[in-house]
Every structure is written in C-alpha cells, then in structure tokens.
Amino acid sequence: MNRALIVVDVQESFRARPLWETVSDPKIAHQVDRLVRLARRAGDLVVWVLHSEPGTGDVFDPALGHVRLMAELERRDGEPLIHKTSHNAFTTTNLQQLLTEHGIRELTLCGLRTEQCVETTTRLASDLGYLVTFVTDATATHPIPHRDAPAHRTGAELLADPRTLGTEEIIRRTEYALAGRFATIATVDELEAAAAPRA
C-alpha cells in the first residue's frame, strides 16, 4: 500500500450552516462514499480529516456536535481520523508523519470547499513530493460573495448578486489551476473504470 485517499471536511458542520442550500453538490457524501469503497477494495489507506474551531461557538466548534462525518459516511476501525484548524490538512496536523509511517507516496483528494481546503491540501501535498489525484466531482463548494458585498445575506440574495462567483466557475478555475501543475484531475467514474478488472 503506497496510496491513500484523503477525505477533507465532509462533515455535518456544513449542513448546519444557513448557506448549505447553495452548495454545488448536496449529495457530495454519495460521491465520496464511492471513492472510499474504491480505495478500500484497492487496499489503500483512507484518512478522514475534519475541520475544527474550538471555542468559537459556531458550527465548527466541537462543543456544538456538528464536527463529525456526514451521516452517509462510515469510518472503519483502523482508518485515521484527524482534526485540523487550518485550511489545508497538513499544517496543524500530523498528516505528513502518518503518511510517511505508512509509506504513502500517492494521494487521492476529495472533500468540501473545492477551491479552499481541498485545493490547498492538494498544492501542499504536491510541494511535499506526493503524486496527487484531485477528484473534481467528489468535491463541493459554495458561491463566493464579492469582497464588497454585505455580510449575512441569504442564499437567494447571494445568488442574485451578479458579482457572486458561482460554483461552476469556482470548480472550473480550480481544475485549471491544479491540472498538470499540482495534480491529475479525475472523476469518480474514471477512477472506477481504471480499477475495473479487465475482461
């Protein structure tokens, strides 16, 4: 085993936020579960990462109970679960040490916040020398409001603002920035087809 699947922030915290209705793929857990099953069949390490902001009193504060895997996902015994407090999954965790101990050289990345937590983890992993596959349709994100937009708007108000950067554009730009520089871009279907036994 020299490959690992890193599942970044696919947690109930996001569903507890008012803007969950604007997410690019509300069924993201289904796509992630397909990847997890594929990784397990291949004997790859599955690493679960959750974002945590202790003491903040918001949905990422573990005291509120939302910092847990989405209900559709199940972690098996022996699969590491780590908590991060930065955007990427390396800086505030022992992820690199864990991967080194398991002899991991290749990573498959998926999760929430396509252009933020998943992308920054991908870039840092590439800088650390890992071969990275970014599974674009097993990531999800939210629209990004314009920097001058008022705070605390509803989802409808956010989407109605022509200055808002939509999710399709965010995903397209992220793929463009990563492809061939930091990662190979793939879909779940492509990875399943590549793993299927030859007739």
Side-chain angles (χ1 to χ4, degrees), residues 1-4 42-46 102-105:
M1 173 178 59
N2 67 352
R3 186 171 55 198
D44 297 343
L45 180 68
V46 177
H102 284 82
I104 303 297
R105 297 306 317 147

Side-chain angles (χ1 to χ4, degrees), residues 3 32 56 59 66 72-74 93 111 113 125-126 131 133 144 165 191 197:
R3 186 171 55 198
V32 170
T56 59
V59 294
H66 302 299
E72 301 91 327
L73 301 172
E74 183 179 351
T93 72
R113 288 298 175 92
S126 175
L131 295 175
T133 300
I144 299 176
L165 188 62
L191 294 180

Side-chain angles (χ1 to χ4, degrees), residues 7 12 48 188:
V7 180
E12 291 292 345
W48 303 91
V188 179

Side-chain angles (χ1 to χ4, degrees), residues 2 8 16 51 68 104 122-123 130 143 153 163 173 178:
N2 67 352
V8 182
H51 187 76
R68 64 184 192 278
I104 303 297
T122 297
R123 287 174 179 263
Y130 295 99
R153 294 188 299 172
R163 302 172 300 171
R173 290 184 185 195
L178 293 177

Side-chain angles (χ1 to χ4, degrees), residues 104-174:
I104 303 297
R105 297 306 317 147
E106 298 180 28
L107 301 179
T108 303
L109 267 291
C110 66
L112 271 163
R113 288 298 175 92
T114 304
E115 80 297 346
Q116 186 173 300
C117 300
V118 189
E119 180 184 12
T120 56
T121 300
T122 297
R123 287 174 179 263
L124 188 45
S126 175
D127 284 348
L128 292 170
Y130 295 99
L131 295 175
V132 185
T133 300
F134 183 93
V135 189
T136 188
D137 62 342
T139 73
T141 195
H142 293 84
I144 299 176
H146 188 270
R147 63 182 176 272
D148 297 330
H152 309 298
R153 294 188 299 172
T154 66
E157 290 169 332
L158 177 66
L159 295 174
D161 187 339
R163 302 172 300 171
T164 295
L165 188 62
T167 57
E168 288 185 12
E169 182 66 9
I170 293 167
I171 293 168
R172 188 190 69 78
R173 290 184 185 195
T174 302

